[in-house]
């Protein structure tokens, strides 16, 4: 699968989120075909993760942003189903605690960056600071910022995020950023499902209804965020999210493709070390 189709062009000048399809399936026929392909790619990702871990030079940061019920949780669950849990960790960022509000906005996420050789997953992220906080500017009050920090705050946040992501890339931490793009109609279907199915009731929150009313404000915030923070070093991938089976396949294709660009390899064993291993092996057998 060609992953370029999902990229928000760096600089993002011609990008318009409202023109991006939410239900494109890019020639993948149906759920059965997607599931079959996903199963194969899950195995491939597991192989690559094994080398990533052994190679121990790059950290991978997967960032997921989306409207409610777009499928972040399910995508993470399915895409990561084959990887070794030792090499990956998921962090979900909710409304900030009072301790978190007492720090700069990057603080809580920066503590969770992946180690070298690991995959870190952010289910929501510092991007909420130019999304939900932008849609609800009253949230800024709780952040107790000095007046100069409030001047052009969104421009500054875009610039700071870009600068930090450059820093990460310069240091071998690679952000791969996904926006799962669901339609308003499909979100409604999923809310209804959460209300009708007792095993899904727990996923429903009454806040989802009030946030849905702000749909257009969120789309505007997402649109600008995607344009302003898609950079060559850390581009955004907008993934159609009306069909969960397609979302999962597209996300794993992007991850695999980005990881295959890295020159990952198992650490080389020197001739001396290899000779030593042979000696140890002989000794082990002889001693037994
Ligand atoms: P689902 O898609 O299943 O609903 P979720 O990621 O929305 O999962 P919730 O517990 O429903 O998880 O919601 C977390 C809430 O926390 C979101 O509404 C999000 O906007 C909010 N949030 C996250 N970061 C911040 C932040 N920095 N400031 C204010 N609110 C935030
Ligand atoms: Mg929610």
């Amino acid at each position: 699968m060609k992953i370029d189709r999902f990229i928000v062009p760096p600089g993002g000048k011609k990008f318009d989120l409202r023109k991006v399809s939410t239900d494109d399936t890019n020639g993948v026929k149906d759920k059965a075909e997607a599931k079959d392909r996903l199963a194969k790619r899950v195995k491939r990702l597991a192989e690559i993760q094994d080398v990533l871990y052994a190679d121990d030079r790059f950290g991978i940061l997967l960032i997921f942003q989306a409207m409610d019920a777009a499928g972040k949780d399910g995508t993470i669950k399915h895409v990561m189903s084959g990887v070794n849990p030792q090499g990956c960790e998921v962090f979900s960022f909710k409304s900030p605690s009072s301790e978190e509000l007492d720090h700069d906005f990057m603080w809580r996420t920066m503590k969770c960056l992946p180690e070298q050789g690991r995959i870190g997953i952010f289910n929501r992220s510092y991007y909420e600071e130019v999304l939900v906080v932008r849609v609800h500017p009253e949230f800024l009050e709780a952040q107790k910022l000095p007046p100069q920090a409030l001047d052009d705050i969104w421009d500054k946040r875009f610039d700071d995020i870009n600068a930090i992501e450059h820093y990460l890339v310069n240091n071998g931490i690679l952000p791969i950023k996904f926006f799962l793009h669901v339609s308003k109609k499909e979100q409604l279907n999923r809310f209804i499902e959460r209300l009708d199915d007792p095993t899904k009731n727990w996923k429903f929150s009454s806040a989802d209804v009030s946030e849905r009313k702000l749909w257009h404000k969120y789309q505007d915030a997402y649109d600008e965020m995607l344009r302003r923070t898609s950079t060559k070093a850390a581009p955004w991938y907008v993934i159609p999210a009306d069909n969960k089976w397609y979302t999962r396949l597209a996300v794993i294709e992007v991850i695999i493709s980005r990881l295959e660009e890295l020159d990952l390899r198992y650490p080389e064993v020197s001739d001396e070390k290899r000779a030593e291993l042979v000696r140890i092996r002989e000794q082990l057998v002889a001693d037994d």
Side-chain angles (χ1 to χ4, degrees):
M1 189 184 286
K2 279 233 181 301
I3 66 159
D4 287 358
R5 63 190 302 117
F6 305 122
I7 284 196
V8 177
K13 289 219 172 60
K14 289 197 188 113
F15 181 79
D16 180 355
L17 182 60
R18 287 191 170 78
K19 296 205 177 117
V20 182
S21 167
T22 56
D23 63 0
D24 183 21
T25 56
N26 180 21
V28 181
K29 244 190 0 272
D30 53 18
K31 189 171 174 175
E33 182 192 333
K35 271 182 106 166
D36 195 47
R37 285 173 62 173
L38 180 65
K40 293 190 183 109
R41 301 309 266 163
V42 162
K43 285 203 184 111
R44 175 72 188 131
L45 182 57
E47 285 168 10
I48 302 176
Q49 186 215 7
D50 201 58
V51 194
L52 174 82
Y53 190 89
D55 177 277
D56 206 20
R57 293 178 301 161
F58 294 97
I60 307 300
L61 176 62
L62 306 180
I63 295 182
F64 289 90
Q65 287 291 157
M67 296 297 287
D68 286 307
K72 289 183 278 95
D73 291 6
T75 301
I76 293 168
K77 176 169 141 185
H78 285 86
V79 165
M80 303 306 286
S81 59
V83 306
N84 181 348
Q86 274 206 99
C88 93
E89 200 167 356
V90 186
F91 300 91
S92 298
F93 295 100
K94 315 268 179 192
S95 292
S97 67
S98 54
E99 189 195 15
E100 288 166 350
L101 284 167
D102 258 336
H103 290 83
D104 60 277
F105 81 88
M106 280 287 187
W107 181 75
R108 66 173 180 164
T109 44
M110 292 298 105
K111 289 193 298 180
C112 303
L113 289 172
E115 288 170 60
Q116 287 169 305
R118 310 292 212 280
I119 300 176
I121 300 169
F122 286 1
N123 183 346
R124 302 191 185 273
S125 65
Y126 45 82
Y127 279 103
E128 291 292 321
E129 293 288 338
V130 290
L131 296 166
V132 67
V133 181
R134 196 164 187 195
V135 172
H136 293 277
E138 67 276 13
F139 289 178
L140 278 175
E141 278 162 40
Q143 301 191 6
K144 300 176 282 125
L145 296 168
Q148 63 271 28
L150 293 167
D151 290 340
D152 303 320
I153 185 163
W154 313 117
D155 286 338
K156 282 186 193 142
R157 286 191 170 180
F158 291 138
D159 291 346
D160 289 341
I161 288 171
N162 288 339
I164 284 182
E165 289 181 351
H166 270 103
Y167 161 84
L168 294 177
V169 172
N170 287 340
N171 288 279
I173 309 291
L174 193 72
I176 308 179
K177 310 185 291 193
F178 296 101
F179 171 60
L180 308 189
H181 188 30
V182 76
S183 64
K184 197 173 180 203
K185 188 162 162 265
E186 179 58 20
Q187 187 196 52
L188 178 65
N189 295 338
R190 294 188 190 171
F191 282 172
I192 300 288
E193 211 179 311
R194 288 178 178 189
L195 290 165
D196 288 349
D197 179 347
T199 68
K200 291 189 176 167
N201 285 170
W202 63 276
K203 283 195 180 185
F204 190 80
S205 133
S206 51
D208 292 348
V209 176
S210 49
E211 296 315 291
R212 179 175 163 81
K213 293 204 175 103
L214 300 168
W215 183 271
H216 295 290
K217 288 197 171 165
Y218 272 106
Q219 295 294 304
D220 286 344
Y222 267 108
D223 180 77
E224 188 168 3
M225 179 277 276
L226 292 165
R227 279 188 283 114
R228 296 288 299 272
T229 61
S230 199
T231 58
K232 208 158 177 280
W236 274 102
Y237 298 89
V238 176
I239 309 290
D242 282 358
N243 297 292
K244 292 178 183 174
W245 43 268
Y246 181 70
T247 311
R248 294 164 188 172
L249 181 62
V251 165
I252 202 165
E253 292 291 359
V254 172
I255 299 172
I256 290 174
S257 165
R258 294 298 309 275
L259 291 180
E260 282 178 341
E261 280 167 16
L262 305 175
D263 174 32
L264 298 174
R265 43 195 144 88
Y266 289 104
E268 277 184 29
V269 178
S270 66
D271 291 346
E272 272 162 52
K273 180 82 183 166
R274 204 184 309 276
E276 190 194 337
L277 294 178
V278 170
R279 271 199 306 281
I280 293 173
R281 187 184 191 285
E282 284 166 1
Q283 197 66 50
L284 266 175
V285 174
D287 289 350
D288 201 52

